[in-house]
Amino acid sequence: MTRPLLIENARIVNPASGTDSKGAVLIENGLVSDIALGAPIGIPDGAEVINAKGLILAPGLIDMRVFTGEPGKEYRETLASAGEAAAAGGVTSFVMMPDTSPVVDDGALVDFLIRRAKATSKVNVLPAGAITKGLAGQEMTEFGLLKEAGAVCLTDGRQSIQSSALLRTVMSYAANYGMTVVHHVSDQSLTGDGVMNEGLFATILGLKGIPREAETIPLARDLQLAALTGATYHAAQISCAASVELMAAAKKRNKSVTSGVSINNLALNENDIGRYRTFFKLGTPLRSEDDRQAVIEGLRSGAIDTIHSDHDPQDTEVKRQPFAEASDGAIGLETLLAAALRLHHSGDVALMTILRAMTSRPAEILGLPSGRIAKGAPADLILVDLDYPWQVSERDLRSRSRNTSFEGARLGGKVMRTIVGGETVFEHVD
Amino acid sequence: MAQARASKSTSSAASSGDFPPFSQKHLLSIADLKQHEIVDLLDRAERMVPVSRQERKSHPTLSGKTQINLFFEPSTRTQGSFEIAGKRLGALVMNMSVKTSSVSKGETLVDTAATLNAMRPDVIVVRHSAAGAVELLSQKVGCAVINAGDGAHEHPTQALLDALTIRNHKGRISGLTVAICGDIANSRVVRSNLLLLGALNVRTRVIAPRNLLPAGIEHLATEVFTDMREGLKDADVVMMLRLQHERANGRMIPSVREYYRFYGLDAEKLAFAKPDAIVMHPGPMNRGVEIDPAIADGPASVITDQVEMGVAVRMAVLDALLPARNSEGNAA
């Protein structure tokens, strides 16, 4: 039994309850055992006391979309290295995409990952089960067995199921087990060999464009199928204004549909590609500034529920290529919070909304007990200095891969301490 | 420009020392060039034209230099043009054709760059199927790099040779109307030409069926047409583009005969352009696909002039990019 831990003199920001107040939190046996707002709290015998000195105390972040390399591509990322990066970024739980080698399409692999993560990772690793065997988009996996083994949701990761009939069956069957279907919306034939947002900038660079309709057409289909089947559906990541409109309209009729946005689409736009910078080549392409503004508005209005890192470690070999030939993806666990806080500092989005999208909303969508500061909830907490200035340098990042799209970026806000299950797993040292 | 044209009458090329040092390290794109640099390169090229018309076609300002032609995509005329240009300037020219542009097998582009760099060339001329590949390679080598075409991005020496051809035939470039017709979406020649001609105050037009027009093209060309006759009306220059056969397979274009009917250049359509309009084509031509053979070989065609200007432009670019001449210690 570990010592009780008291965090006092904090600014508690808890999106689940809408609380933003000075106070203290007591942690016992890995759980939050008491919360005192305003008034001081009694210090139990033998408790360790942390004076937060006015820092924000918030629930640890839950990142709904993280790719790792374990098993199969450990040179890109292991559960341990992803855990280090997550802890430093204030991410206390992340949903691990199933596109490992082998693919997580079997309950036994989910079980293995949970054990392996417990042994090696500093943060909670929540495996997602594949929707289709081998992510091939053909045959369904065993949803019930995956759930029993501990899969938190179903997704084919960066793969998008093209067959509407199969997707209908998937949604019906997933609803059977109360599992959320998290789907990457991308029409393969419209995407074609496109590599960036379609438009003037792609034309100037001589690169093939991906039209927004490659996202909105499957999204519209998915939302109709979700209504038809009664499934709990989460559009994995949307990027453009028309998708925000589709989500807003669907949500008026159906409370079981939600959507996420990658921090990249919130913080960056297609112009960041500059002259073929491949760290900005992403599976969901960076869109125009108008689209970026629209997804920010979607976050404010509630059309978009969650923000995730889309952490996707890729090695130099596959990134240092001509743009069209380079792999998609950028790492993001460590920069997620600070990049999202840009929207707070710029006055675009309220702090509570930003944090909600990375704590209580993902927890609700996945049915997790974490993501909130509540008596009896897991003590997954972060202490944040909202204004701490720092500059991103790939050399300082803890991920095993270096493909950050925020290299050199000046960010404001940093995690000073990360607590998982009552244990401090990261402490910032100046 | 008038001075440069006057130099055409001189019997031999003047020393490149007449020009101020060229300010760019590489020639990667027309987008990188300022207007005066474009004009400077055209003037330099003008001076190179006579070299190839002499009996002794030699102007050895690059003797002792090594030029590598690295072609990831097959190209007979561009590679040949660069090879002749380098050899007439006295450089040691090595041709490397890399059969596959795929990186899945063997070494990556960056590996190739490092390998070639270790051979200490002075200039590498690169063609690659991927946009941006030449720029990537330029970041990994110590020598000058010339883009001989990267994907659908740019082909700067083509635009320069086109401009030189236009200037020689029309006496000027500024103020002309140039219509470019064909597969605009997939053409690097178009992008370089629109940038170059735009910088020289040309009224640029693109003509193509809608599905061969890329997004945002209206911001790059002065006017956009889908009707060829309208697009050619009163044009001073008609530039035809090659239609890749594989695009006329029913997925982009239904058939060659339909394409030719609406977008092939024949006498009837050419009659909409100015009476003294010139007809250009970057080659290789598909006679009967985008152009009537009678036009391609007719009096308005300046296609073979383009090829000749190509050598002059490439000599000028090589000469401009390799400043340290006279490695034997001779004074300039």
Side-chain angles (χ1 to χ4, degrees), chain B residues 70 107-118 124 136-138 140-141:
Chain B
L70 177 64
E107 66 179 16
T108 66
L109 181 66
V110 172
D111 291 335
T112 306
T115 304
L116 292 183
N117 195 45
I124 306 179
L136 176 66
L137 187 136
S138 76
K140 308 294 172 188
V141 296

mmCIF file of all heavy atoms in Angstrom, chain B residues 70 107-118 124 136-138 140-141:
data_model
loop_
_atom_site.group_PDB
_atom_site.id
_atom_site.type_symbol
_atom_site.label_atom_id
_atom_site.label_comp_id
_atom_site.label_asym_id
_atom_site.label_seq_id
_atom_site.Cartn_x
_atom_site.Cartn_y
_atom_site.Cartn_z
ATOM 1 N N LEU B 70 21.415 12.483 -64.278
ATOM 2 C CA LEU B 70 20.795 11.416 -63.490
ATOM 3 C C LEU B 70 19.316 11.374 -63.835
ATOM 4 O O LEU B 70 18.533 12.203 -63.372
ATOM 5 C CB LEU B 70 21.010 11.713 -62.004
ATOM 6 C CG LEU B 70 20.394 10.761 -60.986
ATOM 7 C CD1 LEU B 70 21.004 9.377 -61.109
ATOM 8 C CD2 LEU B 70 20.614 11.302 -59.575
ATOM 9 N N GLU B 107 18.470 1.313 -52.965
ATOM 10 C CA GLU B 107 18.769 2.530 -52.238
ATOM 11 C C GLU B 107 17.747 3.620 -52.497
ATOM 12 O O GLU B 107 17.099 3.684 -53.535
ATOM 13 C CB GLU B 107 20.182 3.000 -52.549
ATOM 14 C CG GLU B 107 20.413 3.442 -53.978
ATOM 15 C CD GLU B 107 21.849 3.922 -54.163
ATOM 16 O OE1 GLU B 107 22.697 3.647 -53.313
ATOM 17 O OE2 GLU B 107 22.100 4.574 -55.184
ATOM 18 N N THR B 108 17.637 4.510 -51.515
ATOM 19 C CA THR B 108 16.711 5.618 -51.631
ATOM 20 C C THR B 108 17.366 6.742 -52.434
ATOM 21 O O THR B 108 18.569 6.719 -52.707
ATOM 22 C CB THR B 108 16.346 6.170 -50.249
ATOM 23 O OG1 THR B 108 17.524 6.745 -49.685
ATOM 24 C CG2 THR B 108 15.827 5.075 -49.337
ATOM 25 N N LEU B 109 16.564 7.709 -52.768
ATOM 26 C CA LEU B 109 17.064 8.875 -53.494
ATOM 27 C C LEU B 109 18.184 9.565 -52.711
ATOM 28 O O LEU B 109 19.185 10.000 -53.278
ATOM 29 C CB LEU B 109 15.907 9.839 -53.726
ATOM 30 C CG LEU B 109 16.229 11.109 -54.490
ATOM 31 C CD1 LEU B 109 16.630 10.795 -55.923
ATOM 32 C CD2 LEU B 109 15.032 12.047 -54.477
ATOM 33 N N VAL B 110 17.994 9.619 -51.397
ATOM 34 C CA VAL B 110 19.003 10.280 -50.562
ATOM 35 C C VAL B 110 20.311 9.490 -50.571
ATOM 36 O O VAL B 110 21.396 10.063 -50.613
ATOM 37 C CB VAL B 110 18.451 10.459 -49.128
ATOM 38 C CG1 VAL B 110 19.529 10.961 -48.199
ATOM 39 C CG2 VAL B 110 17.264 11.420 -49.139
ATOM 40 N N ASP B 111 20.190 8.158 -50.577
ATOM 41 C CA ASP B 111 21.393 7.323 -50.692
ATOM 42 C C ASP B 111 22.101 7.580 -52.019
ATOM 43 O O ASP B 111 23.328 7.710 -52.080
ATOM 44 C CB ASP B 111 21.021 5.834 -50.637
ATOM 45 C CG ASP B 111 20.529 5.405 -49.263
ATOM 46 O OD1 ASP B 111 20.904 6.071 -48.281
ATOM 47 O OD2 ASP B 111 19.794 4.411 -49.183
ATOM 48 N N THR B 112 21.325 7.627 -53.077
ATOM 49 C CA THR B 112 21.888 7.872 -54.406
ATOM 50 C C THR B 112 22.615 9.210 -54.421
ATOM 51 O O THR B 112 23.721 9.326 -54.957
ATOM 52 C CB THR B 112 20.763 7.892 -55.465
ATOM 53 O OG1 THR B 112 20.011 6.685 -55.345
ATOM 54 C CG2 THR B 112 21.328 8.005 -56.865
ATOM 55 N N ALA B 113 21.985 10.206 -53.806
ATOM 56 C CA ALA B 113 22.591 11.536 -53.753
ATOM 57 C C ALA B 113 23.938 11.485 -53.046
ATOM 58 O O ALA B 113 24.926 12.052 -53.522
ATOM 59 C CB ALA B 113 21.646 12.504 -53.041
ATOM 60 N N ALA B 114 23.976 10.774 -51.930
ATOM 61 C CA ALA B 114 25.219 10.699 -51.161
ATOM 62 C C ALA B 114 26.304 9.997 -51.970
ATOM 63 O O ALA B 114 27.475 10.392 -51.959
ATOM 64 C CB ALA B 114 24.968 9.977 -49.838
ATOM 65 N N THR B 115 25.909 8.954 -52.681
ATOM 66 C CA THR B 115 26.874 8.202 -53.486
ATOM 67 C C THR B 115 27.452 9.078 -54.590
ATOM 68 O O THR B 115 28.672 9.151 -54.783
ATOM 69 C CB THR B 115 26.176 6.972 -54.108
ATOM 70 O OG1 THR B 115 25.601 6.209 -53.055
ATOM 71 C CG2 THR B 115 27.159 6.122 -54.893
ATOM 72 N N LEU B 116 26.570 9.751 -55.301
ATOM 73 C CA LEU B 116 27.042 10.605 -56.394
ATOM 74 C C LEU B 116 27.873 11.759 -55.873
ATOM 75 O O LEU B 116 28.881 12.135 -56.463
ATOM 76 C CB LEU B 116 25.845 11.139 -57.189
ATOM 77 C CG LEU B 116 25.069 10.110 -57.985
ATOM 78 C CD1 LEU B 116 23.958 10.780 -58.766
ATOM 79 C CD2 LEU B 116 26.001 9.363 -58.934
ATOM 80 N N ASN B 117 27.450 12.294 -54.740
ATOM 81 C CA ASN B 117 28.167 13.431 -54.172
ATOM 82 C C ASN B 117 29.616 13.070 -53.886
ATOM 83 O O ASN B 117 30.517 13.880 -54.066
ATOM 84 C CB ASN B 117 27.456 13.887 -52.892
ATOM 85 C CG ASN B 117 27.910 15.257 -52.447
ATOM 86 O OD1 ASN B 117 28.013 16.164 -53.266
ATOM 87 N ND2 ASN B 117 28.217 15.397 -51.165
ATOM 88 N N ALA B 118 29.816 11.816 -53.466
ATOM 89 C CA ALA B 118 31.165 11.371 -53.133
ATOM 90 C C ALA B 118 32.044 11.295 -54.373
ATOM 91 O O ALA B 118 33.268 11.276 -54.280
ATOM 92 C CB ALA B 118 31.095 10.011 -52.443
ATOM 93 N N ILE B 124 24.803 18.209 -61.167
ATOM 94 C CA ILE B 124 23.979 17.031 -61.439
ATOM 95 C C ILE B 124 22.677 17.504 -62.075
ATOM 96 O O ILE B 124 22.016 18.410 -61.554
ATOM 97 C CB ILE B 124 23.661 16.229 -60.152
ATOM 98 C CG1 ILE B 124 24.953 15.864 -59.415
ATOM 99 C CG2 ILE B 124 22.886 14.950 -60.490
ATOM 100 C CD1 ILE B 124 24.725 15.089 -58.113
ATOM 101 N N LEU B 136 14.851 17.775 -53.092
ATOM 102 C CA LEU B 136 15.335 16.917 -52.000
ATOM 103 C C LEU B 136 16.774 16.506 -52.259
ATOM 104 O O LEU B 136 17.636 16.591 -51.378
ATOM 105 C CB LEU B 136 14.423 15.684 -51.867
ATOM 106 C CG LEU B 136 14.852 14.645 -50.841
ATOM 107 C CD1 LEU B 136 14.779 15.209 -49.427
ATOM 108 C CD2 LEU B 136 13.961 13.395 -50.931
ATOM 109 N N LEU B 137 17.059 16.083 -53.489
ATOM 110 C CA LEU B 137 18.412 15.661 -53.824
ATOM 111 C C LEU B 137 19.390 16.823 -53.684
ATOM 112 O O LEU B 137 20.501 16.659 -53.189
ATOM 113 C CB LEU B 137 18.418 15.093 -55.245
ATOM 114 C CG LEU B 137 19.732 14.455 -55.687
ATOM 115 C CD1 LEU B 137 19.463 13.133 -56.400
ATOM 116 C CD2 LEU B 137 20.538 15.368 -56.595
ATOM 117 N N SER B 138 18.945 18.018 -54.060
ATOM 118 C CA SER B 138 19.841 19.180 -53.999
ATOM 119 C C SER B 138 20.280 19.491 -52.575
ATOM 120 O O SER B 138 21.337 20.061 -52.343
ATOM 121 C CB SER B 138 19.159 20.407 -54.617
ATOM 122 O OG SER B 138 18.190 20.942 -53.731
ATOM 123 N N LYS B 140 21.073 17.352 -50.446
ATOM 124 C CA LYS B 140 21.976 16.317 -49.949
ATOM 125 C C LYS B 140 23.305 16.280 -50.692
ATOM 126 O O LYS B 140 24.103 15.384 -50.465
ATOM 127 C CB LYS B 140 21.306 14.943 -50.063
ATOM 128 C CG LYS B 140 19.920 14.866 -49.447
ATOM 129 C CD LYS B 140 19.957 15.045 -47.933
ATOM 130 C CE LYS B 140 18.538 15.155 -47.386
ATOM 131 N NZ LYS B 140 18.523 15.524 -45.961
ATOM 132 N N VAL B 141 23.506 17.210 -51.614
ATOM 133 C CA VAL B 141 24.761 17.208 -52.357
ATOM 134 C C VAL B 141 25.419 18.583 -52.257
ATOM 135 O O VAL B 141 24.769 19.575 -51.943
ATOM 136 C CB VAL B 141 24.554 16.841 -53.849
ATOM 137 C CG1 VAL B 141 24.026 15.420 -53.990
ATOM 138 C CG2 VAL B 141 23.622 17.831 -54.531
#
